[in-house]
Amino acid sequence: MEYEKMLTKGALKSIMNNENIKDPIMQVLGVRKITAAGANERYRLLISDGYNLNSFAMLATQLNGMVSSGEINEFSILQIKRHIISNLTDRSKGSKQVMILIDLAVIVSGDLVGSKIGDPKPIIDNSGQVVENGTSASVDSTPQSNALPTPHSVHSSVIDNGLQRDIDVSNIHPINSLSPYQNKWTIRARVVNKASIRTWNNQRGEGKLFSMDLLDESGEIRATAFNSECDKFFDMVEVNKVYFITRGAIKTANKKFSNLNNDYELTLSSETQIFPCHDFDDSKMPALKFNFVQLSQVKDVDVDGIIDVIGVCQTAGELIKLISKTTRKELKKRDVTIVDQSLSSMTITLWDTQAEDFDGSLQPIIAIKGSRIREFMGSKSLSLLGSTVMQINPDIEEAHRLRGWYDSLPSNVEFNSISTRSDAIANSQFLTIKGAQLAQLGSGDKADYYSMYSYLIFVKSESALYKACPKPDCQKKVIDRNDGTYRCEKCNDETENFKYRLMLLAQLSDSTGNQWVTMFQETAENLLGTTSAELGRLLEESKEEYSDVFQRQMFKLFEIRARAKMETYNNETRLKVSLVNIKTIDYKVASTKLIADIKRLSGISTSVM
């Protein structure tokens, strides 16, 4: 049979004994989907070389599409171009060898082959026993890769914690071959980015961490160090230097915080070792990789997505100082507007040191890796994270091309702003209560904002105040224990104090209908003209004066900025309208607007004759 001659007979036993077999050809006898806890789905294959079987062959996740598309199916014949052998430890069954297929090509479809080739048997070890997973008992558990030449020892003389040692890094693995199924590996990679140390303090305790992005010829991966490993490695590691890194936990990457092109990320452990790579020409190691997205395409990317962009600094705003509502710490920010060849512009928000140090006077090229998309009132902008890399005038082809394009632009060119603040646009969209309901505002995936003129006709004053946690970074309602103490479930703490906060439930009315709305702390204080603390005092001392504060605002006409969004609570979905701002009406401005609207709707020219 012609197909039988294609298989590399006897290759499986040799491969599982760590012998180097170049591009072996095998047959797939079965495909099974498996899902590990917290991991992406993977596929386990039963493969045959015509003589032997191996039931523990795993596809690398980047090849999953070959199964789902039907390209890899039962009886298909494959050429394995790249693989590694990894030792997988199971507490109940001991250790076993797993063959991970990293790169392969389908030579003949299983539909054409139609049947099993030959009569393959499990591998028999030297003692005559069947090796269930196809692994000979004499197999060394050290991972091997047929993508690399025969492993050679590299000795690097380094100093670690004052101890001189020779490091044997004979098994260097490409980054894109790392998977949770390996526990012995060494990579040689360049540190292309190192984030600053971040700390946390919550109910689970406190700690610190830093992350770094590693890059080699095959790909990239993010590594994170916590607590003691953070202390150990932060000062040791330098950006743009090349290191040997061995041991650590490999797990599924959280794509919410990373846009690196890797399904996995690395957590440094107490067993992790990092050594400078002195005897290596680091010019052979690639530098930072970008996956640039044109600014015109950002509007189609989901909010909180992480992307790379490049653009020319068109303008840079002033440095602004503000206080965080949660931590009460002072923050510094600067908004920078960039443009690119798509004739689009976008705002980037820089924070703290980057905001202070940035100089946009010469309109530099800005390349950003790993910025997060934010949205506010319909406008999108980019915000830099702790792990974001920002380069000014980088020496890359895209930057040189962008510089030449921008310098040749005429002075009157106009850009389409992705980050246009929608205040002006939305404020001009004045609706009636009925009009907002007919437009089904708030029924989409995102909140809708609109403005209106309405009368305040009712406020539930008896439930307007609640007792909240006194901590500056907490707003949760506390539980009165009726013994002079109050408990905050969020902070898991008890205190003798509390602070009053406002949450008003009110009804608005205009000529078209009524609408229930919610007002929170700042908006409610702006309406009532007093603070929640003062209202709390009146509630305790004089109920009549407390009620008068609310009554004084009844049946007045207000200019209102509203936010509408469908929300689900207890499996019931309702439209929730909350007020972003409420202020007394400026009749001169309102009249001018109404006159302009009348002229526009009636077709009367607004030009002066």
Side-chain angles (χ1 to χ4, degrees):
M1 185 176 183
E2 291 298 325
Y3 292 136
E4 187 172 359
K5 295 179 181 178
M6 298 176 65
L7 301 186
T8 310
K9 295 180 175 62
L12 266 178
K13 186 172 183 179
S14 299
I15 290 172
M16 302 308 289
N17 280 285
N18 285 337
E19 295 181 25
N20 187 23
I21 305 297
K22 183 174 176 58
D23 298 340
I25 297 177
M26 305 198 185
Q27 184 184 29
V28 177
L29 299 182
V31 181
R32 177 185 174 190
K33 181 190 292 187
I34 61 173
T35 304
N40 295 334
E41 63 180 28
R42 302 200 65 159
Y43 290 95
R44 173 177 162 185
L45 307 183
L46 173 62
I47 59 176
S48 160
D49 63 5
Y51 282 172
N52 295 119
L53 300 167
N54 183 358
S55 62
F56 283 86
M58 303 287 296
L59 274 186
T61 55
Q62 66 265 26
L63 302 180
N64 284 356
M66 298 182 73
V67 176
S68 57
S69 67
E71 187 176 359
I72 294 178
N73 56 5
E74 188 179 19
F75 305 133
S76 58
I77 298 177
L78 314 174
Q79 182 177 44
I80 300 174
K81 298 181 178 181
R82 190 172 171 196
H83 71 269
I84 60 172
I85 304 299
S86 183
N87 186 45
L88 178 63
T89 301
D90 188 307
R91 294 181 180 178
S92 60
K93 300 179 181 179
S95 63
K96 62 181 68 173
Q97 296 290 340
V98 177
M99 183 178 182
I100 301 176
L101 309 182
I102 299 172
D103 188 16
L104 55 81
V106 177
I107 298 177
V108 184
S109 170
D111 297 333
L112 294 177
V113 179
S115 63
K116 179 173 67 173
I117 299 173
D119 186 22
K121 306 290 185 184
I123 295 174
I124 305 297
D125 66 13
N126 295 332
S127 64
Q129 294 181 341
V130 174
V131 182
E132 184 178 348
N133 65 338
T135 307
S136 172
S138 62
V139 171
D140 183 1
S141 63
T142 305
Q144 297 283 336
S145 171
N146 72 336
L148 299 172
T150 303
H152 60 280
S153 294
V154 179
H155 293 279
S156 179
S157 179
V158 301
I159 297 177
D160 180 39
N161 296 329
L163 299 177
Q164 184 81 16
R165 62 174 68 177
D166 286 334
I167 290 80
D168 181 5
V169 285
S170 59
N171 288 302
I172 299 175
H173 284 67
I175 282 177
N176 70 355
S177 72
L178 297 181
S179 77
Y181 300 95
Q182 297 165 263
N183 56 13
K184 288 185 179 181
W185 49 264
T186 299
I187 59 173
R188 179 171 55 200
R190 184 190 299 277
V191 178
V192 293
N193 178 44
K194 184 178 78 168
S196 58
I197 293 178
R198 293 189 293 123
T199 60
W200 74 85
N201 188 347
N202 54 32
Q203 293 177 340
R204 300 178 182 177
E206 57 184 28
K208 53 187 171 181
L209 65 88
F210 85 94
S211 63
M212 55 184 175
D213 296 340
L214 308 173
L215 179 71
D216 72 1
E217 300 93 335
S218 70
E220 55 190 350
I221 193 169
R222 176 158 296 168
T224 304
F226 295 87
N227 299 322
S228 58
E229 282 69 45
C230 178
D231 294 332
K232 180 179 179 181
F233 294 120
F234 184 79
D235 293 329
M236 176 192 303
V237 173
E238 298 180 34
V239 176
N240 287 327
K241 294 291 183 68
V242 178
Y243 295 89
F244 292 117
I245 302 176
T246 183
R247 292 190 177 275
I250 302 171
K251 62 179 183 179
T252 303
N254 187 343
K255 291 300 183 180
K256 183 178 179 180
F257 301 105
S258 171
N259 71 330
L260 298 189
N261 186 24
N262 200 320
D263 290 334
Y264 302 112
E265 59 189 13
L266 174 62
T267 299
L268 308 186
S269 68
S270 58
E271 296 182 346
T272 300
Q273 293 181 316
I274 301 179
F275 307 114
C277 182
H278 296 303
D279 306 320
F280 178 72
D281 182 4
D282 64 4
S283 63
K284 298 179 181 178
M285 191 69 67
L288 186 65
K289 289 183 178 179
F290 292 94
N291 298 303
F292 292 123
V293 174
Q294 280 201 327
L295 297 183
S296 60
Q297 299 173 347
V298 173
K299 62 180 182 295
D300 300 322
V301 181
D302 292 338
V303 176
D304 287 334
I306 297 178
I307 60 172
D308 303 345
V309 296
I310 186 170
V312 182
C313 172
Q314 186 184 41
T315 59
E318 297 295 325
L319 186 68
I320 299 174
K321 297 181 180 180
L322 48 91
I323 303 296
S324 169
K325 290 183 178 180
T326 55
T327 64
R328 311 307 300 173
K329 293 181 179 179
E330 183 183 75
L331 302 175
K332 299 173 183 177
K333 61 171 285 190
R334 187 193 303 270
D335 286 339
V336 176
T337 300
I338 64 171
V339 297
D340 71 359
Q341 293 101 317
S342 66
L343 294 181
S344 298
S345 67
M346 193 166 194
T347 300
I348 299 171
T349 303
L350 308 182
W351 295 95
D352 298 328
T353 303
Q354 284 182 324
E356 285 185 285
D357 298 342
F358 183 79
D359 180 7
S361 58
L362 299 179
Q363 295 187 307
I365 303 293
I366 304 174
I368 297 176
K369 183 174 183 63
S371 56
R372 172 162 288 167
I373 297 177
R374 300 295 193 190
E375 185 176 49
F376 178 68
M377 300 174 76
S379 105
K380 285 186 174 180
S381 62
L382 295 176
S383 185
L384 273 60
L385 309 174
S387 59
T388 300
V389 180
M390 183 176 76
Q391 294 186 352
I392 304 298
N393 292 323
D395 186 15
I396 57 177
E397 181 182 350
E398 293 89 345
H400 298 309
R401 191 185 308 122
L402 193 62
R403 179 85 274 166
W405 165 80
Y406 187 76
D407 290 345
S408 64
L409 281 179
S411 58
N412 61 346
V413 67
E414 295 184 0
F415 294 93
N416 177 35
S417 177
I418 309 297
S419 301
T420 299
R421 297 297 180 191
S422 58
D423 291 347
I425 298 174
N427 282 333
S428 64
Q429 184 186 9
F430 275 78
L431 301 174
T432 61
I433 290 175
K434 187 68 173 179
Q437 294 170 350
L438 291 174
Q440 296 184 332
L441 297 184
S443 60
D445 294 333
K446 300 176 183 177
D448 290 316
Y449 294 83
Y450 61 98
S451 299
M452 59 182 174
Y453 297 130
S454 297
Y455 288 93
L456 180 68
I457 62 172
F458 181 74
V459 173
K460 285 191 174 182
S461 58
E462 65 276 6
S463 58
L465 286 172
Y466 70 93
K467 296 175 181 179
C469 178
K471 294 182 180 179
D473 57 344
C474 183
Q475 301 174 5
K476 293 296 182 180
K477 185 176 181 179
V478 295
I479 301 172
D480 189 346
R481 297 173 61 87
N482 296 318
D483 60 358
T485 64
Y486 303 87
R487 176 171 179 78
C488 176
E489 293 293 342
K490 178 184 177 183
C491 300
N492 193 24
D493 192 19
E494 296 176 5
T495 177
E496 296 180 355
N497 301 314
F498 64 86
K499 63 184 176 186
Y500 279 114
R501 289 190 64 84
L502 278 162
M503 185 172 69
L504 294 185
L505 184 61
Q507 193 173 34
L508 304 177
S509 180
D510 65 11
S511 60
T512 65
N514 299 337
Q515 177 67 59
W516 284 99
V517 297
T518 303
M519 285 176 272
F520 296 100
Q521 182 76 5
E522 290 80 7
T523 307
E525 288 182 337
N526 186 40
L527 167 68
L528 300 176
T530 187
T531 64
S532 57
E534 175 63 17
L535 273 177
R537 185 188 66 80
L538 293 177
L539 179 64
E540 295 172 353
E541 298 178 1
S542 174
K543 296 289 182 64
E544 185 176 348
E545 290 185 50
Y546 172 81
S547 180
D548 286 344
V549 173
F550 296 91
Q551 290 301 318
R552 285 196 293 268
Q553 306 303 324
M554 292 296 103
F555 306 107
K556 289 184 179 180
L557 184 62
F558 291 96
E559 181 180 332
I560 289 163
R561 179 84 174 132
R563 175 187 186 273
K565 183 73 174 69
M566 298 296 291
E567 295 187 359
T568 302
Y569 182 73
N570 286 340
N571 296 322
E572 184 177 356
T573 301
R574 293 182 179 180
L575 177 67
K576 183 176 181 179
V577 179
S578 56
L579 301 192
V580 178
N581 191 21
I582 181 168
K583 60 183 179 180
T584 54
I585 194 168
D586 184 329
Y587 286 96
K588 180 178 179 181
V589 173
S591 298
T592 302
K593 178 190 176 305
L594 289 174
I595 291 172
D597 287 344
I598 292 172
K599 290 182 177 180
R600 176 176 55 82
L601 293 172
S602 61
I604 300 175
S605 174
T606 57
S607 61
V608 178
M609 300 300 294

